[in-house]
């Protein structure tokens, strides 16, 4: 069975609505959906009715029967069809005991009891009489619903029970995973309770295409309506300035933004791109015969929207309405979420010559972007003057990039070759020098330090926002590794780097990992086995020894984890094996 988790994202504590709202599908929501998707309202209605009916109850198929017709409500509509062929009586009428026939004409014998069949009374067969312990109790009443039982005075309220089940406490984190199983993709929203060491699926959202990246943001997108209000989400409104949303990049060129405060949503709150321009989204085959499937015409880049898969997303925490996206169409685009989502991107940059795999804003300098590409280069540049940026040749395809949260000029790069590189942007050459260099050149830019982290590709990395010099990496060798980067530099200007611990978390090939935004030394990882694991690194003695002093210096408390679970918290398995398990 093919199943995997391609990306994950944390939601900080207290940012989610405590009681999520239910999605409501009405005429106003249909109008909003048609405007976002740029389709006619009638087409949207037809699509929703095919999916399950406008009222959410589904469509009842009408069928003809020999004795009558059943309408959409499931009742027989022909008045004459219920009549029996003989006498016009209803064959399905309730059967009742007939009254005894009157005796023959003449005086009745008062001592005649033959009508009551007393001689054969004990020989009558039981017709479904109750058996068991209470078979001798007559008049015992059974109620199918507790609400109908007059002796039950404490009634259960289903709405209150559902409200309690969906409650998200201020101390809970949400963990969002992009999961694909049997060609069906969805977002799974997990609740992680750190105090109880509990992780479970809260609800899920269906996706139309394979997801590649996730990015959490708290800025409510403008969905294009006059009031900036989504009737499907009761949390949206013209005066709302914060919320909890997840942006999703998929193999489709559009970017979907979903509200995490709405349960059972059918359509995203915003859609960035042009789904109606389908001609530019579909590859055009070239050649004939066998080569026709192999040769594909390149898609022409568009400055207003992407025309290929969206590989990475980054939300600007300072200029909260800005979202950056990197795509396989070799461009990086900026989106203004305060504008209607039907409008094009505000800026488009084509600084790379191959797929742009990763993008991230600099939190210390909110106008600077860091990008990494399959053209084997990384670039840092100011969005106001992108031509004056700097970059580095890394010698291999870029998998992921991260800024150092404790050094605004330093960043990390993970490569397909398994290496982790650290650079100082102040010591890099200009972008114009990179453009004149060949991507096939064996010459690479000297890094501050290099880690041979993994045997396969170093597919993911993250830097702790709480502990200085704490780096986590994951690779296709199925290992997750924790690194200690010493703050002090040696005589050559390089830092001492040591491996703290490494572990196979059972997630298969690691595709994504991320530190918790609230709890120190808590790491989430997911990969090719479609499993999500939360690793409390405080359970590891080496991690406590390496980072305990830095945590105390930063005023944070290091809580030792319970040794019973070895620091791993995961969702209970459903017993299904992934493709990796079968291969092993």
């Amino acid at each position: 069975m093919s199943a995997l988790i391609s990306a994950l994202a944390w939601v900080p504590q207290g940012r989610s609505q405590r009681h999520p709202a239910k999605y409501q599908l009405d005429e106003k929501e249909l109008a909003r959906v048609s405007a976002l998707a740029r389709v006619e309202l009638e087409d949207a209605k037809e699509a929703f009715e095919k999916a399950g009916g406008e009222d959410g109850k589904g469509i009842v198929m009408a069928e003809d029967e020999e004795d009558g017709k059943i309408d959409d409500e499931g009742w027989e509509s022909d008045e004459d069809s219920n009549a029996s062929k003989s006498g016009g009586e209803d064959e399905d009428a309730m059967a009742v005991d007939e009254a005894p026939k009157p005796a023959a004409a003449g005086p009745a014998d008062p001592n005649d009891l033959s009508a009551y069949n007393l001689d054969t009374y004990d020989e009558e067969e039981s017709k479904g009489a109750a058996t068991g312990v209470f078979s001798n109790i007559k008049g015992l009443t059974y109620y199918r619903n507790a609400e109908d039982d007059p002796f039950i005075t404490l009634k259960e309220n289903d709405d209150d029970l559902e409200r309690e089940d969906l409650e998200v406490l201020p101390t809970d984190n949400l963990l969002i995973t992009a999961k694909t199983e049997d060609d069906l993709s969805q977002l799974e929203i997990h609740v992680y309770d750190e105090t109880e060491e509990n992780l479970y699926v809260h609800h899920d959202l269906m996706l139309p295409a394979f997801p590649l990246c996730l990015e959490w943001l708290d800025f409510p997108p403008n969905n294009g309506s006059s009031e900036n209000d989504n009737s499907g989400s009761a949390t949206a409104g013209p005066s709302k300035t914060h919320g909890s949303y997840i942006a999703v990049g998929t193999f489709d060129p559009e970017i979907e933004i979903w509200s995490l405060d709405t349960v059972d949503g059918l359509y995203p709150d915003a859609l960035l791109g042009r789904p109606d321009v389908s001609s530019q989204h579909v590859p055009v085959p070239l050649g004939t015969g066998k080569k026709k499937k192999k040769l594909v015409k390149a898609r022409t880049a568009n400055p207003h929207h992407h025309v290929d898969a969206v590989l990475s997303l980054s939300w600007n925490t300072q200029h909260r309405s800005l979202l950056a996206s990197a795509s396989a169409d070799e461009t990086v685009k900026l989106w203004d979420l305060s504008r209607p989502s039907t409008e094009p991107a505000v800026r488009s940059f084509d600084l790379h010559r191959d797929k742009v795999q990763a993008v991230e804003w600099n939190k210390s300098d909110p106008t600077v972007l860091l990008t990494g590409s399959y053209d084997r280069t990384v670039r840092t540049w100011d969005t106001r003057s992108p031509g004056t940026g700097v970059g580095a040749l890394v010698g291999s395809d870029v998998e992921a990039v991260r800024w150092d949260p404790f050094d605004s000029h330093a960043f990390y790069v993970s490569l397909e070759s398994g290496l982790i590189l650290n650079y100082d942007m102040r010591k890099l050459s200009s972008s114009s020098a990179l453009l004149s260099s060949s991507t096939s050149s064996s010459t690479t830019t000297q890094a501050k330090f290099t880690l041979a982290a993994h045997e396969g590709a170093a597919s993911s990395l993250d830097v702790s926002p709480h502990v200085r010099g704490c780096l986590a990496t994951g690779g296709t060798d199925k290992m997750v590794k924790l690194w200690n980067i010493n703050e002090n530099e040696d005589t050559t200007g390089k830092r001492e780097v040591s491996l703290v611990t490494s572990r196979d978390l059972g997630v298969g090939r690691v595709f994504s990992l991320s530190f918790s935004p609230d709890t120190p030394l808590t790491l989430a990882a997911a990969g090719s086995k479609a499993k999500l694991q939360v690793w409390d690194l405080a359970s590891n003695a080496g991690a406590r020894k390496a980072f305990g002093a830095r945590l105390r210096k930063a005023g944070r408390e290091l809580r030792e984890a319970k040794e019973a679970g070895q620091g791993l918290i995961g969702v209970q398995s459903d017993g299904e094996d992934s493709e990796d398990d079968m291969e092993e």
Side-chain angles (χ1 to χ4, degrees), residues 213-254:
C213 56
L214 299 175
E215 179 73 355
W216 177 81
L217 58 148
D218 76 347
F219 187 85
N222 190 330
N223 56 32
S225 63
S226 59
E227 297 181 354
N228 189 22
D229 178 29
N230 177 7
S231 61
S233 173
T235 62
S239 61
K240 186 179 179 183
T241 59
H242 292 81
S244 183
Y245 299 88
I246 191 74
V248 186
T250 67
F251 269 119
D252 287 342
E254 296 80 38

Side-chain angles (χ1 to χ4, degrees), residues 67-129:
D67 293 334
K69 296 183 179 180
I70 299 178
D71 61 9
D72 292 340
E73 299 294 334
W75 301 96
E76 296 188 19
S77 57
D78 190 352
E79 297 179 356
D80 297 334
S81 61
N82 293 329
S84 175
K85 293 181 180 180
S86 60
E89 296 180 356
D90 190 356
E91 293 180 349
D92 295 331
M94 182 179 296
V96 297
D97 294 335
E98 295 181 358
K101 295 182 179 180
D109 186 359
N111 297 322
D112 185 9
L113 302 178
S114 60
Y116 301 98
N117 298 323
L118 296 180
D119 294 337
T120 60
Y121 179 79
D122 295 333
E123 299 178 4
E124 291 184 359
E125 296 181 0
S126 175
K127 298 182 180 180

Side-chain angles (χ1 to χ4, degrees), residues 242-360:
H242 292 81
S244 183
Y245 299 88
I246 191 74
V248 186
T250 67
F251 269 119
D252 287 342
E254 296 80 38
I255 302 169
E256 298 184 355
I257 300 180
W258 294 82
S259 172
L260 298 177
D261 294 331
T262 303
V263 181
D264 299 333
L266 298 180
Y267 204 81
D269 283 41
L271 191 66
L272 308 179
R274 289 298 301 270
D276 58 322
V277 190
S278 57
S279 59
Q280 298 190 33
H281 299 172
V282 181
V284 180
L286 295 176
T288 57
K290 296 181 179 179
K291 294 184 178 180
K292 186 174 182 180
K293 297 182 179 179
K294 298 181 180 180
L295 299 177
V296 177
K297 182 179 178 181
R299 311 180 196 185
T300 304
N302 190 297
H304 304 300
H305 53 83
H306 289 301
V307 295
D308 211 331
V310 179
L311 304 179
S312 181
L313 295 166
S314 182
W315 173 56
N316 195 316
T317 57
Q318 302 295 324
H319 304 294
R320 297 174 49 249
S321 64
L322 288 182
L323 179 70
S325 60
S327 173
D329 62 9
E330 305 178 12
T331 68
V332 176
K333 287 181 169 53
L334 299 186
W335 306 88
D336 187 353
L337 301 179
S338 64
R339 303 170 60 186
S341 58
T342 54
E343 295 189 8
V346 293
R347 294 289 299 276
S348 180
F349 308 96
D350 52 353
L351 303 178
H352 291 278
R353 290 173 288 180
D354 207 334
K355 301 178 182 67
V356 186
Q357 172 68 16
V359 61
E360 187 177 33

Side-chain angles (χ1 to χ4, degrees), residues 231-490:
S231 61
S233 173
T235 62
S239 61
K240 186 179 179 183
T241 59
H242 292 81
S244 183
Y245 299 88
I246 191 74
V248 186
T250 67
F251 269 119
D252 287 342
E254 296 80 38
I255 302 169
E256 298 184 355
I257 300 180
W258 294 82
S259 172
L260 298 177
D261 294 331
T262 303
V263 181
D264 299 333
L266 298 180
Y267 204 81
D269 283 41
L271 191 66
L272 308 179
R274 289 298 301 270
D276 58 322
V277 190
S278 57
S279 59
Q280 298 190 33
H281 299 172
V282 181
V284 180
L286 295 176
T288 57
K290 296 181 179 179
K291 294 184 178 180
K292 186 174 182 180
K293 297 182 179 179
K294 298 181 180 180
L295 299 177
V296 177
K297 182 179 178 181
R299 311 180 196 185
T300 304
N302 190 297
H304 304 300
H305 53 83
H306 289 301
V307 295
D308 211 331
V310 179
L311 304 179
S312 181
L313 295 166
S314 182
W315 173 56
N316 195 316
T317 57
Q318 302 295 324
H319 304 294
R320 297 174 49 249
S321 64
L322 288 182
L323 179 70
S325 60
S327 173
D329 62 9
E330 305 178 12
T331 68
V332 176
K333 287 181 169 53
L334 299 186
W335 306 88
D336 187 353
L337 301 179
S338 64
R339 303 170 60 186
S341 58
T342 54
E343 295 189 8
V346 293
R347 294 289 299 276
S348 180
F349 308 96
D350 52 353
L351 303 178
H352 291 278
R353 290 173 288 180
D354 207 334
K355 301 178 182 67
V356 186
Q357 172 68 16
V359 61
E360 187 177 33
W361 289 101
N362 190 331
K363 291 181 173 58
S364 301
D365 193 348
T367 62
V368 175
L369 272 175
L370 169 64
T371 56
S373 171
Y374 280 8
D375 62 7
R376 302 183 176 184
T377 67
V378 290
R379 301 172 189 268
T380 64
W381 40 279
D382 196 310
T383 54
R384 296 169 297 185
S385 55
T388 60
V390 297
L393 287 170
V394 295
S396 182
D397 292 348
V398 175
E399 293 287 342
V401 296
R402 285 291 185 275
W403 288 102
D404 189 337
F406 298 93
D407 187 348
S408 60
H409 303 290
F411 61 88
Y412 296 88
V413 184
S414 68
L415 304 179
E416 188 183 26
S417 60
L419 298 179
I420 305 294
L421 307 177
N422 177 265
Y423 288 102
D424 188 334
M425 61 179 293
R426 295 170 295 185
K427 299 180 180 180
L428 298 180
S429 59
S430 63
S431 296
S432 58
L434 284 177
L435 292 174
S436 61
S437 303
S438 172
T439 57
S440 61
S441 174
S442 59
T443 304
T444 59
T445 305
Q446 183 68 29
K448 289 186 64 176
F449 61 83
T450 302
L451 299 177
H454 297 275
E455 296 181 1
S459 51
S460 57
L461 84 158
D462 198 19
V463 187
S464 173
H466 308 290
V467 186
R468 189 183 185 96
C470 181
L471 174 70
T473 63
T476 56
D477 58 0
K478 304 180 182 180
M479 299 300 296
V480 175
K481 298 184 179 182
L482 187 68
W483 304 86
N484 180 16
I485 304 170
N486 200 317
E487 299 180 12
N488 301 322
E489 297 181 351
D490 57 18

Side-chain angles (χ1 to χ4, degrees), residues 492-515:
T492 62
K494 294 185 178 181
R495 292 184 177 182
E496 179 184 353
V497 182
S498 60
L499 177 64
V500 177
T501 184
S502 64
R503 187 174 180 181
D504 185 348
L505 300 183
V507 299
R509 298 185 296 274
V510 183
F511 293 150
S512 182
L513 56 81
S514 178
F515 280 101

